[in-house]
Amino acid sequence: MLVAASVLDAAAASALALWGVLMAPVPASLLLLILAATLAGGLIADLLKVPAFRKLKLHTG
């Protein structure tokens, strides 16, 4: 459910930026670059977080 909410939030913010609602419109190419960088950063953070949580015994599974 949290992933769906995050995807919906990113889609809504992207649509507002693309259409220029309450801001100057952002070009689609730049918007895709920003979304790709955000996804890559999230995956990298997850790759670092999981081993750290296991080492610190903070995982639940």
Side-chain angles (χ1 to χ4, degrees):
M1 186 67 151
L2 183 60
V3 172
S6 295
V7 169
L8 186 60
D9 181 49
S14 297
L16 292 173
L18 189 62
W19 295 327
V21 177
L22 300 175
M23 65 185 91
V26 176
S29 58
L30 179 59
L31 187 59
L32 288 174
L33 180 66
I34 292 168
L35 289 173
T38 302
L39 179 62
L43 291 174
I44 291 169
D46 197 47
L47 288 173
L48 297 173
K49 180 180 68 174
V50 170
F53 274 36
R54 284 197 177 126
K55 184 164 180 70
L56 298 170
K57 295 181 175 37
L58 298 174
H59 68 289
T60 59

